[in-house]
Amino acid sequence: MTDRIHEFLRIRREAGHDDGPVMVLDLDVVRDNYTAFAKALPDTRVFYAVKANPDPQVLDLLARLGSCFDTASVVEIEQVLATGCSPDRVSYGNTIKRERDIARAYQLGIRLFAVDCEAEVEKIARVAPGSKVFCRILCDGSGAEWPLSRKFGCVPEMATKVLEHAHKLGLSAYGVSFHVGSQQRNPRMWDGALKAASTIFLELAERGIHLSMVNLGGGFPTKYLKDVPAVKAYGQSIFRSLRKHFGNRIPETIIEPGRGMVGNAGMIEAEVVLISKKAEDDKVKWVYLDIGKFNGLAETMDEMIRYPIRTEFDGDDLEPCVLAGPTCDSVDVLYEKDPYLLPVSLEIGSKVLIEGTGAYTTTYSAVGFNGFPPLKSFVI
Ligand SMILES: *Cc1c(COP(=O)(O)O)cnc(C)c1O
């Protein structure tokens, strides 16, 4: 973790502001990550997935570095345009959009939309005429630590029909997209999806419709407890698959990194609220933090993402602990099936540092994830 973050936390503590938990993000790391993506995939445009961390300073930095942006709602589009970035650098990549939101995005200048069925194509044809659409195909997500469900995408055979329909309705059938699953630790997982994409390109070409773009999605990992391949390995593996399936007619490509852009740039400082046992002879201690599933660590759901945790007692003997959050909801347990090893000397009041928490923490704890406002209520 970076010296800048440690220094920031030290100064904050000395000033008496240690009322956490708090996530601190180092923009220098985000800059390095952007540069690494640009270098590893030199012919690919980067569309940062805004939902990973929509902080205005992150968006400003990436806009200045030349990044484009993948958004999922009108609020996210507005957040990106507020940086001064032009709308031709923004995609509306959610396959599930209200028609009035598509119309609003079109008014704001957005011309690139994701679809995965004919009904969505029809909405776009009605209120965003002439726009470019790309069709998302299903991916099985194996090899990913945070696999995506069947919620997005359609089978490749259907994508051909969806794009043909778009073409008939006067839209520009622009390309194919997929997402190989978040925290994808296997760089070869893009190969199968690229093969499917190339088949869609061929089938549509036979009908006189020439696609231009493959959207390679996100999935690039952050290092948590286990090592992950460097972004360079992903670039090489993806390029090999593009050559294999598209020969010397490699299409325009884009990537949509979220986690891989900001995950390792952030660190959370939290506090131990309580350490207890459920019985005198209990083998595992329960350690309760002031952060849990409802205020930042939602990705511990099913114990999928396992964050590295540092304490001031690192180096002491370790013992298995159940780690839990502070709320009165019983699902607010972070690691129990597979207890977490923490120093025996850990005390109530100790600070803990949770690393790799720059992505999907502040957004999941905010009211308004992905730009969707919190539930309105009327009490009558
Ligand atoms: C969330 C999301 C991403 C980012 O995924 P990561 O695994 O965090 O890189 C990319 N594309 C789309 C369409 C998304 O919804």
Side-chain angles (χ1 to χ4, degrees):
M1 205 30 64
T2 72
D3 293 344
R4 290 183 68 216
I5 294 181
H6 282 295
E7 186 62 7
F8 178 90
L9 288 170
R10 190 184 61 77
I11 292 169
R12 191 168 174 275
R13 211 171 300 139
E14 278 172 13
H17 302 302
D18 68 345
D19 199 21
V22 62
M23 195 277 286
V24 187
L25 187 107
D26 186 342
L27 286 176
D28 285 353
V29 179
V30 179
R31 182 183 292 108
D32 290 347
N33 289 340
Y34 180 83
T35 310
F37 277 119
K39 228 169 131 181
L41 293 132
D43 300 317
T44 300
R45 281 200 300 166
V46 176
F47 280 65
Y48 170 60
V50 172
K51 73 174 181 297
N53 190 327
D55 189 286
Q57 291 192 71
V58 172
L59 301 182
D60 277 339
L61 170 70
L62 289 171
R64 267 189 283 120
L65 292 173
S67 187
C68 302
F69 297 89
D70 173 55
T71 64
S73 61
V74 171
V75 169
E76 283 192 352
I77 292 168
E78 288 169 340
Q79 286 170 336
V80 169
L81 296 181
T83 67
C85 165
S86 56
D88 61 341
R89 287 163 62 191
V90 182
S91 66
Y92 196 165
N94 191 343
T95 52
I96 305 152
K97 302 172 286 301
R98 291 190 300 208
E99 190 162 322
R100 58 184 181 278
D101 292 338
I102 300 170
R104 177 74 188 128
Y106 186 76
Q107 261 178 8
L108 290 169
I110 308 303
R111 296 291 181 270
L112 183 58
F113 297 89
V115 295
D116 65 1
C117 65
E118 293 190 3
E120 194 72 13
V121 165
E122 281 162 18
K123 291 185 206 168
I124 295 170
R126 277 193 292 271
V127 297
S131 292
K132 294 173 179 168
V133 295
F134 56 86
C135 186
R136 180 151 167 184
I137 54 173
L138 282 165
C139 252
D140 75 356
S142 62
E145 287 183 14
W146 185 260
L148 306 172
S149 64
R150 288 173 58 80
K151 178 168 172 184
F152 308 103
C154 60
V155 296
E157 304 77 65
M158 194 171 142
T160 308
K161 292 215 178 76
V162 169
L163 287 165
E164 194 176 10
H165 193 58
H167 177 78
K168 282 194 188 128
L169 295 182
L171 294 168
S172 161
Y174 196 60
V176 175
S177 77
F178 54 84
H179 194 303
V180 295
S182 202
Q183 188 67 8
Q184 176 54 261
R185 294 176 58 229
N186 183 354
R188 289 190 298 276
M189 282 309 293
W190 275 257
D191 189 70
L194 281 169
K195 181 172 184 215
S198 70
T199 306
I200 299 169
F201 269 62
L202 272 179
E203 285 184 355
L204 284 167
E206 282 166 10
R207 296 168 211 187
I209 301 168
H210 298 281
L211 301 180
S212 309
M213 186 269 289
V214 175
N215 177 345
L216 303 158
F220 305 92
T222 279
K223 184 183 179 306
Y224 296 114
L225 284 176
K226 293 182 213 150
D227 274 331
V228 294
V231 63
K232 199 173 156 198
Y234 287 81
Q236 286 166 346
S237 179
I238 288 171
F239 186 72
R240 268 199 302 274
S241 294
L242 281 165
R243 269 264 170 273
K244 181 166 132 201
H245 301 299
F246 289 90
N248 53 12
R249 304 180 64 136
I250 294 182
E252 178 195 332
T253 49
I254 69 179
I255 51 170
E256 300 174 332
R259 188 186 304 279
M261 188 71 84
V262 290
N264 65 339
M267 183 168 79
I268 286 172
E269 184 183 67
E271 187 178 314
V272 177
V273 180
L274 181 66
I275 302 177
S276 64
K277 285 190 169 183
K278 303 290 168 190
E280 294 292 349
D281 58 353
D282 216 349
K283 293 280 190 302
V284 284
K285 273 188 193 166
W286 281 68
V287 174
Y288 301 89
L289 303 177
D290 61 356
I291 187 166
K293 280 206 165 71
F294 296 98
N295 58 341
L297 301 181
E299 286 203 311
T300 57
M301 208 181 292
D302 296 331
E303 311 197 10
M304 282 199 269
I305 298 291
R306 237 174 140 76
Y307 295 106
I309 299 176
R310 307 261 165 260
T311 73
E312 60 189 292
F313 306 103
D314 286 355
D316 292 1
D317 288 343
L318 301 172
E319 64 184 331
C321 300
V322 175
L323 200 62
T327 66
C328 284
D329 192 302
S330 54
V331 307
D332 193 9
V333 174
L334 309 177
Y335 304 117
E336 181 177 18
K337 275 183 283 179
D338 191 2
Y340 204 100
L341 292 174
L342 288 169
V344 291
S345 36
L346 194 68
E347 293 165 352
I348 292 173
S350 299
K351 295 284 187 209
V352 299
L353 299 173
I354 311 172
E355 294 184 338
T357 42
Y360 305 119
T361 52
T362 52
T363 39
Y364 278 151
S365 84
V367 285
F369 173 59
N370 233 182
F372 290 85
L375 184 62
K376 282 195 205 73
S377 89
F378 298 98
V379 181
I380 56 169

